[in-house]
Amino acid sequence: MEFRKARLAALLAAAVIAGCSTTTPTRTTVYEQPSAAKVGTAPTALSAARSQLATMKTDARIGAALQWAEHYLDQQRPGDAGQLLADLNPQAMDNEQRFTWILLSGRAQLGDQRPDDALALLQRHEDDILQYPAEQQAGLDLLKADALAMKGDLTGSLQQRVATHPLLEDEDQDYNHGMIWQLLMQLSSSELADAIEDSRGDLLGWLTLAQLYRDPIADLDAQVSRLNQWSAQWRTHPATDDVPDMLDALEKAVSERPSKVAILLPATGPLKNAGKALQEGIMTAYYRHKQDGNPPVLRFYDSGGDDILALYQQAVQDGADFILGPLAKDKAATIANQGTLPVTTLALNYIDQGELPENFFQFGLAPEDEARQIALQGAREGASQAGILYPEGEWGERVAQAFAQEWQSLGGTVTVTRTYQEGPTLGDTVKELLLVAQSQSRGQAVSRFTSLDMDIQPRRRQDMGFLFLLANPNQGRQVKPALNFHYAKDLPVYSTALVHSGESNPRRDQDLNGVRFVDMPWMLSNEDSQLRRMSNEQWPEGHGRYERLFAMGIDAYRLQSRVFLLSTLPSSELPGVTGRLSMKQQRIVRELNWGVFINGEARALPKVAEPANNSRTREITAQ
């Protein structure tokens, strides 16, 4: 079973999630009725289901309600499932029915993003749960672990999963093993360090393994040594079987790491400011590495000129065994078109090209990737319909198209797409997007033909689970108030990092309240790391609009020693400052964090776990 890492988040006051894929073992979620008591397929409408159930005798009604509730859960209808389950009296059930009722009720509550209710449910029925066989208790323990993660208590969820692990059967242990690793990858460095101080037993083993595996700055030799030490110390640990693959990959990465790195960045020309921010990020990571290990020799070349091939060949002749850059897309494509390259090359941009040299890799900050992550997030939350609002122009068209293609590939429907221009017409565009005028005119037309009091208040369209908004801060400050004014204050709005300036401006950003967005950890986290302190001391004013490129420079330096590892070990990743980095088809893929505007401030959302009832997520995760 493959477990993809993903991020989710609880929207503090609103309890809305942006999430990660989790599933519970299927064998503990199915209630099998006696064959003589089988019922038909669940009615499509909840009202019809409740009407049919009302005509049944008690035992048949319980069996049918449990089966139909599970069917609704599989269709991402946790609210309907919860209502069927709430109509039942658990005291009228036998032990097997009551177990299924507890499990399905908890799944429905998690599907509605109500982890506190799920935890309260498990607490109320604690005495009943203790009477069940160990396997069934373990299934409910995993439900509790999901609820804790959804609340943002990743450490508590880990503790629950580790304690439950020995009680699970082999297949469920595979699932739980993967989920433990996901949670470990989602903990921040400070959370991981704090948990290590407070833990013991198998949990401590998991935590220390994750810490040494995740360390992005550690010298590779040191990581190999520490991994061998971990294996000797934790011979009987459940994760021991994973270590040989890690060791083998790390040892190969040691043999492949570069000793001389050539860095092709523009010091002149239109991209020189971007090149300067990247260079400063690279050097910050270099000096941080120098404190703990043996960094490679770096040599910078100005790629602002016209002949990128001559510059590339000069770097090779100078002894470079790894080349970082160039930044310009056309120059990266020129190098890729040369066929087999003499040294491994990591371009600092993405190019539109099919077949690439096997030692040519790409890393950049593509907004299209952010759009795709938002689409995947919407699918994981169970949404099926989305709207798109983006600025006129080729750039907006390209990013909106990336979202739409990903969304449709996941089975979603784009119900409306609109472009906009900043200025006085933007409010009208939002009104048109929401079909408010049509709603109002229909209500007025109906009122002419009746003497009854009619509610003719205008309403927005209801065929959008969320709105994908592509906007910079100024544009977003116009769009969100317009949405609120036109009866769409409750419509979830997801945006790319573009909407987040990175600078605190509570007075102006009040107008962005409620907007959720993806952004790199460097822009959302205030974690007091040595790297952050070095950056603040050297550049106390930051890098303004180039701050994300500075962060990209940090990760670009780290990647020069990790490209081999990422390309040869499919499960390998680098917890970077620009996101969680992994490799897909010679392309570094970033998984970003989630943030939300509250009281005019951009706040990082806690990392939590997704309800375990989302079968659509299971399908997506398995792809």
Side-chain angles (χ1 to χ4, degrees):
M1 185 180 296
E2 180 183 4
F3 295 91
R4 299 278 176 88
K5 295 83 171 169
R7 296 225 181 252
L8 7 210
L11 207 169
L12 303 180
V16 181
I17 67 169
C20 121
S21 62
T22 72
T23 60
T24 52
T26 54
R27 75 161 60 89
T28 61
T29 64
V30 180
Y31 172 65
E32 292 289 349
Q33 286 211 97
S35 58
K38 293 290 184 182
V39 296
T41 304
T44 301
L46 174 65
S47 58
R50 298 176 85 175
S51 296
Q52 288 188 38
L53 291 171
T55 67
M56 299 180 186
K57 293 182 179 180
T58 300
D59 197 53
R61 182 171 68 254
I62 292 171
L66 293 176
Q67 286 193 21
W68 293 353
E70 183 167 27
H71 175 75
Y72 289 156
L73 286 171
D74 289 340
Q75 289 193 324
Q76 293 88 51
R77 296 169 58 185
D80 291 347
Q83 288 200 48
L84 288 188
L85 295 165
D87 290 342
L88 299 177
N89 177 10
Q91 302 309 314
M93 302 176 186
D94 61 32
N95 284 341
E96 188 66 24
Q97 291 171 332
R98 191 177 302 116
F99 165 78
T100 304
W101 179 84
I102 294 170
L103 183 60
L104 294 179
S105 296
R107 288 177 58 192
Q109 288 161 346
L110 293 188
D112 275 337
Q113 293 84 57
R114 294 186 286 125
D116 287 321
D117 289 346
L119 292 171
L121 171 77
L122 295 173
Q123 181 65 36
R124 283 197 308 274
H125 292 276
E126 185 175 13
D127 291 341
D128 290 330
I129 292 170
L130 291 174
Q131 306 305 313
Y132 293 124
E135 182 186 351
Q136 289 183 315
Q137 290 187 40
L140 294 174
D141 286 341
L142 295 186
L143 182 72
K144 180 178 181 180
D146 284 340
L148 289 170
M150 185 176 289
K151 281 172 59 69
D153 184 4
L154 299 191
T155 303
S157 182
L158 276 168
Q159 291 170 340
Q160 185 71 48
R161 290 192 180 281
V162 172
T164 303
H165 196 79
L167 304 176
L168 301 173
E169 294 190 358
D170 290 346
E171 181 182 343
D172 295 348
Q173 282 191 341
D174 290 342
Y175 155 77
N176 196 48
H177 188 129
M179 278 308 305
I180 288 171
W181 198 247
Q182 283 195 37
L183 291 169
L184 289 167
M185 293 301 103
Q186 292 179 24
L187 286 172
S188 70
S189 298
S190 58
E191 288 172 330
L192 190 56
D194 290 344
I196 287 173
E197 287 187 8
D198 298 333
S199 301
R200 59 186 179 183
D202 280 353
L203 178 58
L204 179 59
W206 281 109
L207 293 164
T208 53
L209 178 62
Q211 187 180 57
L212 72 89
Y213 177 75
R214 286 178 42 173
D215 190 344
I217 294 296
D219 185 81
L220 288 171
D221 289 318
Q223 278 190 289
V224 170
S225 175
R226 288 164 57 197
L227 199 52
N228 277 314
Q229 291 172 10
W230 187 95
S231 298
Q233 181 181 356
W234 298 94
R235 288 190 177 91
T236 61
H237 194 276
T240 301
D241 291 342
D242 295 338
V243 174
D245 286 342
M246 293 183 191
L247 268 173
D248 184 54
L250 280 170
E251 288 170 349
K252 288 181 180 177
V254 168
S255 66
E256 294 288 334
R257 67 184 168 190
S259 59
K260 294 182 180 180
V261 178
I263 303 169
L264 314 185
L265 287 175
T268 55
L271 295 178
K272 66 178 182 180
N273 290 332
K276 182 173 183 291
L278 280 162
Q279 179 174 344
E280 290 172 352
I282 289 169
M283 292 308 299
T284 300
Y286 170 83
Y287 285 119
R288 174 66 185 89
H289 185 189
K290 197 172 184 179
Q291 293 177 352
D292 297 330
N294 298 308
V297 175
L298 304 185
R299 184 167 182 176
F300 288 86
Y301 297 79
D302 180 10
S303 62
D306 294 330
D307 196 345
I308 190 62
L309 290 179
L311 189 69
Y312 186 91
Q313 290 301 325
Q314 182 63 54
V316 173
Q317 291 172 15
D318 290 342
D321 52 4
F322 189 98
I323 292 182
L324 195 58
L327 174 61
K329 180 176 290 194
D330 60 336
K331 293 178 180 179
T334 297
I335 291 173
N337 285 331
Q338 301 309 300
T340 302
L341 299 175
V343 297
T344 299
T345 301
L346 177 63
L348 298 177
N349 210 326
Y350 297 114
I351 62 175
D352 301 321
Q353 186 170 318
E355 190 171 347
L356 298 170
E358 63 178 12
N359 59 346
F360 181 89
F361 302 93
Q362 306 167 78
F363 173 52
L365 307 180
E368 292 92 337
D369 286 347
E370 299 173 18
R372 295 184 188 102
Q373 182 174 336
I374 292 170
L376 181 58
Q377 204 68 35
R380 282 173 170 153
E381 292 178 15
S384 59
Q385 298 173 309
I388 305 175
L389 183 61
Y390 64 95
E392 289 185 355
E394 186 274 335
W395 181 87
E397 181 79 28
R398 190 177 72 247
V399 180
Q401 185 67 22
F403 170 84
Q405 288 177 346
E406 183 74 10
W407 180 241
Q408 290 165 349
S409 75
L410 296 168
T413 301
V414 176
T415 54
V416 59
T417 300
R418 289 290 184 277
T419 61
Y420 67 87
Q421 293 180 331
E422 286 188 66
T425 63
L426 199 152
D428 291 336
T429 301
V430 170
K431 186 176 182 180
E432 179 189 355
L433 171 87
L434 298 170
L435 296 180
V436 173
Q438 291 92 322
S439 162
Q440 189 172 17
S441 63
R442 282 197 299 269
Q444 291 170 341
V446 170
S447 68
R448 297 194 198 102
F449 298 97
T450 179
S451 59
L452 299 175
D453 290 335
M454 298 290 295
D455 178 7
I456 59 172
Q457 290 296 316
R459 292 179 173 84
R460 69 167 176 89
R461 65 192 306 158
Q462 297 298 310
D463 58 353
M464 276 191 285
F466 67 94
L467 176 67
F468 172 62
L469 170 64
L470 191 57
N472 63 33
N474 286 332
Q475 294 164 338
R477 294 179 191 122
Q478 297 176 62
V479 171
K480 187 59 170 72
L483 290 168
N484 297 347
F485 180 78
H486 291 297
Y487 316 100
K489 188 174 184 179
D490 62 336
L491 177 66
V493 178
Y494 304 160
S495 192
T496 66
L498 181 66
V499 80
H500 179 214
S501 69
E503 299 177 355
S504 178
N505 196 340
R507 183 181 63 82
R508 298 191 67 196
D509 287 343
Q510 292 283 343
D511 288 334
L512 292 172
N513 282 349
V515 174
R516 277 193 286 167
F517 60 94
V518 291
D519 207 344
M520 60 178 63
W522 186 259
M523 302 299 292
L524 285 170
S525 172
N526 292 316
E527 188 174 336
D528 184 25
S529 66
Q530 189 170 357
L531 192 65
R532 176 76 71 174
R533 290 194 295 272
M534 290 175 64
S535 172
N536 290 341
E537 289 170 4
Q538 188 69 29
W539 296 283
E541 300 301 319
H543 290 80
R545 67 191 183 97
Y546 295 103
E547 188 68 27
R548 291 181 178 87
L549 285 171
F550 173 80
M552 180 181 162
I554 293 173
D555 279 351
Y557 174 81
R558 293 169 167 178
L559 284 166
Q560 50 83 21
S561 65
R562 303 281 169 159
V563 163
F564 178 83
L565 194 65
L566 294 176
S567 62
T568 57
L569 188 63
S571 63
S572 184
E573 63 176 38
L574 175 67
V577 296
T578 62
R580 289 167 59 193
L581 309 180
S582 58
M583 181 80 73
K584 183 177 181 181
Q585 297 175 343
Q586 298 175 250
R587 177 188 177 107
I588 300 296
V589 178
R590 295 184 304 134
E591 185 180 334
L592 292 89
N593 288 5
W594 281 87
V596 62
F597 285 97
I598 299 176
N599 296 327
E601 293 278 8
R603 300 185 187 178
L605 286 166
K607 300 182 269 298
V608 297
E610 178 190 347
N613 62 290
N614 195 335
S615 61
R616 186 172 174 206
T617 296
R618 293 199 292 270
E619 294 170 3
I620 294 166
T621 301
Q623 291 176 358

